[in-house]
């Protein structure tokens, strides 16, 4: 548990202009990570990461996640390299399939989402290492592309995925895996097994996003969580009561974090719902003795 990184998400529904102040306050509380979101119509993940990095001095900033169909791998690598050179060691780049319906709505849905994600992650990682990339793939083509200013320390590129074949793909081509809100300890054990099946080594990281609501009144906590766990349960195809959260009284939330750490999480990113999110974050960190 001592090695577990604790992160906080800047929720996609919060106004972008509030990000710098939130990032500074979260850093002052002692959090390890701040994660920003890229969902269609909400915010740009790379620009949000730049804002958060520029507003802080220490914390690591994660992008969760850039949809591969929306991003040229060459342009994405250029953007990530710029951030990694200016803020070395402080960036994590998440890439995923994107929501299929959203990708259809903007005309970029690939014929093979698995092939596109694999080719994108492979190309981006190679470009960030300074390699000259020749790729004639099923979905992508790169003819001798190379970065002029690759970072000395390439940022980890992680795959934000859910389904079994995608988890195996992540183990094969990514530096780590990000799994979405609602997944609990048993899910993490399965995730580790699937990424290992794909070829993940011991240094392949596992980042878990988790809804979080902290308070002394259990009924109020349940009411606050309800619309989030209900909607996410439907998306995951599981009953609402099986949507795992880091919630309850501060000590209970800390116990849930222990469960995730024991099951193999390297980082847990809290998606805090309800009033005073920074106050809730502070309560969790205090319960952990941080």
């Amino acid at each position: 548990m001592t090695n577990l990184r604790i992160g906080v998400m800047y929720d996609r529904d919060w106004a972008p202009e509030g990000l710098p102040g939130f990032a500074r306050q979260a850093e002052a509380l002692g959090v390890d990570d701040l994660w920003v979101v890229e969902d269609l119509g909400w915010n740009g993940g790379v620009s949000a990461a730049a804002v958060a990095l520029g507003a802080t001095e220490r914390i690591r900033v994660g992008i969760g996640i850039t949809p591969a169909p929306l991003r040229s791998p060459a342009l994405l690598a250029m953007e990530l390299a710029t951030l990694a050179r200016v803020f070395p060691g402080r960036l994590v780049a998440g890439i995923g399939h994107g929501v299929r319906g959203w990708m259809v709505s903007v005309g970029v849905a690939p014929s093979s989402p698995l092939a596109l994600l694999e080719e994108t992650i492979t190309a981006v990682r190679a470009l960030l290492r300074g390699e000259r990339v020749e790729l004639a793939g099923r979905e992508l083509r790169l003819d001798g592309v190379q970065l002029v200013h690759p970072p000395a320390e390439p940022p980890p590129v992680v795959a934000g995925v859910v389904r079994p074949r995608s988890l195996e793909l992540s183990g094969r081509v990514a530096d780590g895996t990000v799994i979405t809100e609602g997944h609990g300890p048993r899910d993490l054990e399965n995730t580790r097994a699937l990424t290992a099946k794909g070829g993940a080594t011991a240094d392949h990281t596992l980042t878990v996003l988790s809804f979080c609501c902290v308070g002394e009144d259990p009924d109020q906590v349940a009411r606050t969580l309800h619309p989030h766990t209900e909607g996410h349960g439907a998306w995951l195809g599981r009953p609402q009561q099986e949507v795992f959260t880091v919630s309850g009284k501060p000590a209970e939330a800390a116990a849930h974090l222990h469960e995730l750490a024991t099951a193999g999480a390297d980082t847990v990113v809290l998606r805090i719902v309800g009033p005073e999110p920074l106050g809730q974050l502070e309560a969790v960190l205090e319960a952990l003795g941080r």
Side-chain angles (χ1 to χ4, degrees):
M1 181 66 181
T2 56
N3 295 325
L4 180 70
R5 298 183 67 93
I6 304 297
V8 63
M9 180 187 295
Y10 192 78
D11 197 276
R12 67 185 188 179
D13 289 330
W14 300 345
E17 60 268 25
L19 175 56
F22 183 94
R24 285 190 289 268
Q25 291 177 75
E27 181 173 62
L29 289 175
V31 77
D32 299 304
D33 284 17
L34 173 73
W35 282 67
V36 295
V37 182
E38 178 162 287
D39 280 341
L40 184 63
W42 273 270
N43 301 304
V46 175
S47 55
V51 169
L53 287 163
T56 55
E57 297 179 357
R58 174 189 59 80
I59 56 173
R60 189 174 69 171
V61 174
I63 304 172
I65 57 172
T66 56
L70 276 177
R71 294 284 189 174
S72 156
L75 180 58
L76 180 57
M78 290 159 58
E79 299 278 22
L80 297 175
T82 299
L83 293 180
R85 286 182 68 101
V86 178
F87 305 100
R90 295 184 54 207
L91 177 68
V92 180
I95 306 175
H97 294 298
V99 177
R100 182 72 178 180
W102 293 349
M103 301 303 101
V104 170
S105 72
V106 292
V108 297
S111 59
S112 175
L114 283 168
L116 177 62
L117 184 59
E118 180 162 3
E119 291 166 13
T120 298
I121 291 175
T122 300
V124 168
R125 291 183 71 206
L127 289 165
L128 290 171
R129 291 193 297 267
E131 298 173 13
R132 181 180 177 87
V133 177
E134 299 276 358
L135 174 63
R138 180 172 175 180
E139 295 285 342
L140 294 177
R141 181 183 180 91
L142 295 173
D143 294 325
V145 178
Q146 187 172 22
L147 296 184
V148 174
H149 300 293
E153 182 180 350
V157 177
V158 298
V161 289
V162 176
R163 307 302 176 196
R165 290 178 66 195
S166 298
L167 289 166
E168 288 185 38
L169 183 156
S170 178
R172 184 167 63 251
V173 302
D175 294 307
T177 299
V178 181
I179 59 173
T180 189
E181 300 91 336
H183 290 91
R186 285 195 297 178
D187 298 304
L188 270 61
E189 294 168 7
N190 183 54
T191 296
R192 283 289 191 192
L194 287 166
T195 55
K197 183 179 178 181
T201 56
D203 58 354
H204 186 94
T205 61
L206 180 56
T207 299
V208 183
L209 312 182
S210 185
F211 288 117
C212 173
C213 185
V214 178
E216 296 295 329
D217 183 346
D219 292 334
Q220 181 60 47
V221 168
R223 285 193 297 270
T224 302
L225 283 170
H226 179 82
H228 304 277
T229 54
E230 182 181 47
H232 219 69
W235 182 72
L236 290 173
R238 63 178 59 181
Q240 181 178 9
Q241 62 269 24
E242 294 181 13
V243 175
F244 187 88
T245 72
V246 175
S247 297
K249 296 180 181 180
E252 293 170 331
H256 293 317
L257 286 168
H258 279 280
E259 292 179 59
L260 293 174
T262 300
D266 297 297
T267 301
V268 178
V269 181
L270 302 176
R271 183 179 178 182
I272 301 175
V273 300
E276 300 182 12
L278 287 167
Q280 293 189 53
L281 175 63
E282 183 176 18
V284 173
L285 294 173
E286 287 181 351
L288 290 170
R290 297 197 179 191

